[in-house]
Amino acid sequence: MVLFIIVIIVFVIQGVFWGITTNRVMYNKGYCDDWFWKGFFFSGAAFAAALSKPAKDNGTYQEDILLEKIHKEDLLNNDGWECPFCHSLNGSIVSTCGCGKSREYGMEYIKQQNTSIPEQNTILLLKEYKELMDNGVITQEEFDIKKRKLLKNNG
């Protein structure tokens, strides 16, 4: 009985070793297939099969980024749109994104964000400058100059 348990333990350890090794070889060659169980049960034979497979040429990471950028520009130039919520790219005939937001709602959201952010930033900056003036870090004249610039840029 003890010998049987030892044999099972040795088999499991050997299977885990071959499974991990075989799976790692396949991963390094660019395959996404899970070869752990093939390596676990067929050990050296699965490892030899994994070694004999040619490496996949998936291109480089930079090429992938460039192709994605070209695809995005092409889609947007042909009246496509990018959802401001989930950032999915949608074609010109798509009126509702996969996240459930409509094109019109997304465009309205973008308009609202573009108009409200500068006003909020201006208010926050004015409060910060006022606090600096109250603490004596800047003078009333410096505060007035900053205030005029902010209001001029926002108006």
Side-chain angles (χ1 to χ4, degrees), residues 26 54 57:
M26 291 300 289
D57 182 22

Side-chain angles (χ1 to χ4, degrees), residues 5-153:
I5 293 174
I6 292 173
V7 169
I8 296 289
I9 291 172
V10 168
F11 175 74
V12 169
I13 291 171
Q14 177 185 357
V16 168
F17 169 78
W18 285 110
I20 291 172
T21 306
T22 304
N23 202 37
R24 177 52 66 187
V25 167
M26 291 300 289
Y27 178 77
N28 287 342
K29 289 190 172 199
Y31 293 92
C32 295
D33 304 341
D34 185 15
W35 274 55
F36 175 81
W37 293 109
K38 292 175 186 171
F40 185 90
F41 288 112
F42 301 111
S43 54
F47 181 71
L51 285 176
S52 68
K53 286 190 99 59
K56 275 188 166 181
D57 182 22
N58 291 334
T60 65
Y61 179 68
Q62 292 173 341
E63 288 173 349
D64 293 342
I65 291 173
L66 181 61
L67 288 174
E68 184 178 320
K69 185 177 179 182
I70 290 170
H71 172 70
K72 179 179 180 179
E73 288 174 0
D74 184 47
L75 188 66
L76 295 177
N77 288 337
N78 292 315
D79 201 30
W81 59 286
E82 181 177 5
C83 178
F85 303 102
C86 68
H87 302 288
S88 296
L89 294 175
N90 299 292
S92 60
I93 61 171
V94 178
S95 62
T96 303
C97 182
C99 69
K101 306 291 188 214
S102 70
R103 183 177 189 166
E104 292 77 23
Y105 183 73
M107 297 306 139
E108 190 62 38
Y109 175 79
I110 290 172
K111 281 183 191 175
Q112 181 184 15
Q113 292 300 312
N114 288 340
T115 57
S116 65
I117 288 175
E119 292 171 5
Q120 291 173 355
N121 287 343
T122 302
I123 293 169
L124 290 174
L125 284 172
L126 281 173
K127 286 181 181 178
E128 288 177 20
Y129 288 137
K130 174 74 168 123
E131 187 176 318
L132 288 172
M133 185 186 70
D134 292 341
N135 291 333
V137 177
I138 62 173
T139 64
Q140 177 71 40
E141 184 180 350
E142 291 170 325
F143 173 76
D144 291 338
I145 292 170
K146 296 286 187 184
K147 181 179 172 183
R148 274 194 300 274
K149 283 183 182 177
L150 284 172
L151 295 176
K152 181 180 177 184
N153 290 339

